[in-house]
Amino acid sequence: MTAPPDLSEPLVDHQEGQRFLKEAFSIILEEVFCKGTDVQEKVCEWREPEDLARLLDLTVRDSGEPPDQLLQRVRDVAKYSVKTSHPRFFNQLYAGMDYHSMAGRFLTEALNTNLFTYEVAPVFVLMEREILRGLRQLVGWTDGDGIFCPGGSTSNMYAMSVARYHFFPQAKTQGLSGLPRLVVFTSAESHYSVKKGAAFLGFGTDNVVAVDVDEGGRMIPEDLERKIHSSKSQDAVPFLVSCTSGTTVQGAFDPLGGIADVCEKHNLWMHVDAAWGGSVLFSDKHKHLMAGVHRANSVAWNPHKMLVAGLQCSAFLLKDNTNLLRKCHCAQASYLFQQDKFYDVSMDIGDKSVQCSRKVDCLKLWLMWKAVGSDGLARRVEKAFVNTRYLVEQMKKREGFQLLREPEFVNVCFWFIPPALRGQERDAEFWRRLGQVAPVIKERMMKRGSMMVGYQPLGDRVNFFRQVLMSPLVSNRDMDFFLDEFERLGSDL
């Protein structure tokens, strides 16, 4: 039997632990950074859930395992995980890899810092403040506030919370019982987090009004105006409009200038969910897509998407400079936020957040921004648009690929029409059969591990694919492969 440890001494063997860490990093480098970015390797090693659980031996036990077995665990986790940095991973609104950001992510984990007070996180309080200032400057604000949040959905909820406090500060202490029925307006193709936020914050999903969109998925300001009047006639109180810059499916950009006119007319809080599209602000060629964003009250922006900062990196930006964010969320915990500290207590930023523990999400973006500069980040945005144009041009040269519409952004939405359906009358039976194509092709590509791309229906449009071109690792060869692979996977359908 092994002798019990002496609990009066440290329980960690640094020499053994550091040796394990070096060997684990070696495996991570091989499996994730080398194989995981190699087009000769699979994007995923598909296994059914019960087989995968058995392969990984996920059960935890009373006794620990030896280092060799643990290193095999590391290898297995890497092997059977989806390689999101692979050049042929097109499935989500994040992909690719930046090595400087990765160094920042490793350092963040190693330092294990909680970002709430200056005394605990002096470097990161200053760093977050500077990064938020840089992002606000791109929006067009010379002043303001902000905070990094755990995802764009949370940023959108922050907007609702702060807007409510702005118009009805008594809600913080008295709750919803004394408030009128508050109504949120958002486009019919906005992110589902708007409804989730309304449920979470107590407004209720019935009080989220969907504004009509045009054929491209952009909010129609005239319909917004009509629906505001309709809500007021029903004794409801409109208070917030959530616009979208880069919708999840079609990549549409709402007309911010026209929406701002409506918001100013009715004294409504204007929030822009730019989680996906916000990075166009780095590019002089494409920032026109967000013309008028400077008139918004708040913006959500996820640099972990197009900028490839790595999950998660989500900023909530405010034009307000009256400390609204802190007033809305502070609880003034005396064991953290003492007012008689020896330094400027305004540096204790934790009371702006609804969290106590808050991860450092600014370091990876800061180190990457330092490495490539604003010009390098602009090139990433512009490369994504160049890739999109190339793919669309190649699609048009091939039989069987039908675009939903010309892409406004880098979301390429299309149907693949297999040989058996080509030339058929576009009747209800045609669309029913076409809607069954995408799930079959998706299953085949996953089981081959050749690539990953998502599909979905939208409104009355049957299942179609959404190819997202934003990874800086993607080449023309990858897009040619993408089209060839569709033809291989769907040739017998």
Side-chain angles (χ1 to χ4, degrees), residues 358-409:
R358 189 164 66 92
K359 191 177 181 68
V360 173
D361 287 329
C362 59
L363 173 56
K364 52 201 164 196
L365 177 55
W366 176 82
L367 198 59
M368 180 178 74
W369 202 338
K370 280 283 194 181
V372 304
S374 298
D375 291 344
L377 297 178
R379 280 192 294 274
R380 291 185 184 179
V381 174
E382 288 156 14
K383 175 177 170 54
F385 278 87
V386 168
N387 285 347
T388 301
R389 286 197 298 273
Y390 177 84
L391 181 64
V392 169
E393 288 167 4
Q394 296 307 308
M395 277 186 173
K396 290 177 179 179
K397 296 175 183 178
R398 301 199 188 204
E399 192 176 8
F401 292 91
Q402 180 181 327
L403 292 167
L404 267 73
R405 57 183 285 265
E406 289 289 328
E408 180 178 20
F409 192 31

Side-chain angles (χ1 to χ4, degrees), residues 124-391:
F124 300 122
V125 166
L126 296 177
M127 185 182 292
E128 180 171 279
R129 185 171 67 172
E130 178 58 24
I131 288 293
L132 292 170
R133 185 201 63 78
L135 295 175
R136 286 196 306 269
Q137 190 172 47
L138 288 165
V139 169
W141 299 334
T142 56
D143 204 353
D145 202 352
I147 194 168
F148 276 86
C149 299
S153 294
T154 304
S155 297
N156 290 338
M157 293 182 195
Y158 267 69
M160 293 184 190
S161 175
V162 172
R164 179 176 61 188
Y165 182 84
H166 171 70
F167 290 114
F168 303 98
Q170 69 272 25
K172 179 175 180 178
T173 53
Q174 298 173 15
L176 298 177
S177 59
L179 301 186
R181 182 165 69 89
L182 301 179
V183 178
V184 174
F185 300 85
T186 193
S187 91
E189 294 191 16
S190 67
H191 194 259
Y192 64 83
S193 61
V194 178
K195 280 197 169 184
K196 281 199 170 189
F200 186 74
L201 292 165
F203 302 120
T205 57
D206 287 349
N207 292 312
V208 177
V209 175
V211 180
D212 291 347
V213 296
D214 63 18
E215 189 176 330
R218 297 172 288 260
M219 186 190 292
I220 300 171
E222 293 78 11
D223 190 58
L224 172 63
E225 177 81 38
R226 284 191 293 271
K227 286 179 173 166
I228 290 170
H229 283 294
S230 175
S231 293
K232 288 182 175 180
S233 72
Q234 299 169 41
D235 295 327
V237 176
F239 82 107
L240 179 142
V241 177
S242 183
C243 319
T244 312
S245 288
T247 56
T248 305
V249 178
Q250 294 202 77
F253 285 75
D254 289 340
L256 301 182
I259 295 169
D261 290 342
V262 176
C263 289
E264 288 174 6
K265 176 181 176 182
H266 294 278
N267 189 30
L268 306 182
W269 186 281
M270 179 178 167
H271 173 65
V272 180
D273 175 4
W276 175 217
S279 297
V280 300
L281 293 173
F282 275 98
S283 168
D284 288 340
K285 292 181 181 178
H286 302 293
K287 64 184 181 182
H288 66 88
L289 290 167
M290 291 184 64
V293 66
H294 65 285
R295 298 173 65 186
N297 299 99
S298 57
V299 173
W301 184 351
N302 287 5
H304 70 236
K305 294 184 175 176
M306 182 164 279
L307 297 184
V308 200
L311 288 163
Q312 60 194 13
C313 189
S314 304
F316 174 62
L317 308 174
L318 274 168
K319 183 189 290 185
D320 173 81
N321 60 6
T322 67
N323 225 4
L324 192 63
L325 192 58
R326 188 189 299 267
K327 292 173 185 175
C328 179
H329 296 137
C330 71
Q332 300 174 331
S334 60
Y335 68 93
L336 284 176
F337 306 114
Q338 304 92 335
Q339 296 303 295
D340 54 358
K341 290 181 179 181
F342 63 93
Y343 59 84
D344 179 1
V345 295
S346 69
M347 292 291 193
D348 289 352
I349 58 177
D351 242 3
K352 295 181 181 181
S353 171
V354 296
Q355 303 163 254
C356 178
S357 299
R358 189 164 66 92
K359 191 177 181 68
V360 173
D361 287 329
C362 59
L363 173 56
K364 52 201 164 196
L365 177 55
W366 176 82
L367 198 59
M368 180 178 74
W369 202 338
K370 280 283 194 181
V372 304
S374 298
D375 291 344
L377 297 178
R379 280 192 294 274
R380 291 185 184 179
V381 174
E382 288 156 14
K383 175 177 170 54
F385 278 87
V386 168
N387 285 347
T388 301
R389 286 197 298 273
Y390 177 84
L391 181 64

Side-chain angles (χ1 to χ4, degrees), residues 11-12 28 84 88 118 136 138 159 174 371 391 444 453 491:
L11 292 177
V12 174
I28 293 168
T84 62
R88 293 169 184 170
Y118 183 79
R136 286 196 306 269
L138 288 165
Q174 298 173 15
L391 181 64
R444 290 178 177 183
V453 61
S491 62

Side-chain angles (χ1 to χ4, degrees), residues 96-103 105 307-309 368 372 380:
M97 178 185 296
D98 180 276
Y99 288 98
H100 304 100
S101 169
M102 189 62 66
R105 293 158 78 181
L307 297 184
V308 200
M368 180 178 74
V372 304
R380 291 185 184 179

